[in-house]
Amino acid sequence: MSGLSHWQLDGSAPELYERYLVPAITAKWAADLVERAGIRPEEKVLDVACGTGIVARLASLRTGSGHVTGLDLNQGMLSVARKASGGDGAIEFIDGSALDLPFAAVTFDVVLCQLGLQFFPDQGMALREMRRVLLPGGRLAVSVYSPIERTPGAHAFVEALDRVLGSDASLIKRGEHSFGAPGELEELLFNAAFESVRVDTVVQGIAFPSVLDYVRFQLLATPMAGLLDGRPESERQALIDRVASEVADTSDPAMLAGGVFSFPQEAYVGTALAPG
Ligand SMILES: C[S@@+](CC[C@H](N)C(=O)[O-])C[C@H]1O[C@@H](n2cnc3c(N)ncnc32)[C@H](O)[C@@H]1O
């Protein structure tokens, strides 16, 4: 497996998320989501669960400066989002919960929510909030991962994690994949009184320079970092190496061709309209 000497490993989890996981994974989904939403110049756009702001930044390229708001409840993610967007106020980043959006009704042309819905304790309430803040006929675009077995790299990772760190170790990662079928997202959107609901199953090709890179950044740049907290550096490194070896041993050789770790990643991407 290749080393990581060219990657800077210092920094907080949100900084590492922005530096490594966004370009490899979420930027691809963001380009697709923004395209599906058909964002036009000067439209008002809200990015719910914006994280470090990749969706908001791509949306802002289409609307122009001053039209996009990002919202998240994680201060660390918001502070990286502000830095990554240039810190010039072109995008406003707000601390808040998806369950209680701090905006007046009938405010936005477009609401986007990428890979966040699965974490919300009340998904119906969050979607009703998104509908409330949309203008009549306003557009929603929302994505969630499909079952983890449908994304072989992530599946090999959680199986390895459980073998190395115990059977609860992968709960956070498995939780990202809690939607079992496109119909579950469709039903939530209908129940939140959206119209013209459509959910597509979409696949992106994901590639990391090596298995070790993939495992390391899953374990350092996401909430899974808590699994390694408090352990000496030598033990953390040994655990990362063990998980990476297990992932390599159990992955289809085609996923490891040329030393690169590559696999298809699947998500359900929903679009819908607020009642006109
Ligand atoms: C996997 S990240 C996705 C971030 C970003 N949308 C992206 O695609 O890179 C999930 C984000 O959801 C946020 N989140 C979780 N629960 C939330 C809630 N109730 N309200 C607002 N944001 C929430 C987390 O803080 C995190 O930044």
Side-chain angles (χ1 to χ4, degrees):
M1 277 175 273
S2 80
L4 282 168
S5 51
H6 59 298
W7 280 18
Q8 293 171 264
L9 293 177
D10 55 325
S12 65
E15 282 163 349
L16 296 174
Y17 178 91
E18 171 61 24
R19 203 181 301 153
Y20 300 117
L21 296 184
V22 168
I25 299 179
T26 68
K28 296 188 173 189
W29 291 107
D32 176 77
L33 197 74
V34 164
E35 179 67 30
R36 280 167 200 269
I39 295 167
R40 297 185 284 269
E42 306 207 351
E43 284 193 314
K44 279 194 84 177
V45 177
L46 173 64
D47 175 15
V48 177
C50 64
T52 56
I54 182 62
V55 171
R57 293 198 297 278
L58 294 189
S60 179
L61 290 178
R62 292 181 175 231
T63 61
S65 180
H67 296 276
V68 179
T69 303
L71 173 135
D72 203 287
L73 47 61
N74 184 304
Q75 293 297 335
M77 295 296 251
L78 286 171
S79 121
V80 173
R82 288 183 189 112
K83 262 190 260 164
S85 70
D88 58 1
I91 304 172
E92 190 177 11
F93 288 103
I94 291 183
D95 174 15
S97 166
L99 305 188
D100 184 18
L101 294 176
F103 308 106
V106 189
T107 296
F108 294 97
D109 297 289
V110 178
V111 172
L112 306 168
C113 182
Q114 170 165 291
L115 305 174
L117 186 67
Q118 66 271 27
F119 299 114
F120 303 161
D122 187 336
Q123 294 163 352
M125 182 179 291
L127 289 172
R128 287 193 298 279
E129 278 291 273
M130 295 181 207
R131 178 183 41 74
R132 181 183 66 77
V133 301
L134 274 169
L135 290 154
R139 284 114 61 211
L140 173 76
V142 52
S143 61
V144 291
Y145 288 129
S146 69
I148 202 160
E149 294 77 10
R150 312 230 2 118
T151 292
H155 190 226
F157 171 66
V158 291
E159 299 275 290
L161 209 53
D162 286 349
R163 281 194 298 275
V164 173
L165 283 167
S167 59
D168 286 348
S170 69
L171 284 180
I172 294 174
K173 183 73 182 168
R174 290 180 192 273
E176 283 181 17
H177 294 260
S178 59
F179 277 74
E184 291 177 17
L185 180 55
E186 250 168 44
E187 195 180 331
L188 278 170
L189 291 168
F190 279 123
N191 289 344
F194 279 100
E195 297 178 349
S196 304
V197 170
R198 171 188 170 134
V199 176
D200 290 320
T201 300
V202 184
V203 176
Q204 301 283 353
I206 300 300
F208 280 77
S210 70
V211 174
L212 183 58
D213 292 350
Y214 172 76
V215 168
R216 180 169 281 190
F217 287 99
Q218 289 296 315
L219 285 173
L220 295 179
T222 76
M224 282 180 282
L227 292 169
L228 302 182
D229 276 354
R231 299 175 192 257
E233 185 51 36
S234 58
E235 190 187 339
R236 287 155 62 92
Q237 194 50 57
L239 286 170
I240 289 170
D241 287 346
R242 269 184 65 199
V243 174
S245 295
E246 292 255 348
V247 172
D249 288 348
T250 55
S251 291
D252 183 328
M255 289 161 57
L256 305 165
V260 173
F261 189 47
S262 59
F263 53 88
Q265 187 177 53
E266 191 181 84
Y268 303 136
V269 185
T271 52
L273 300 179

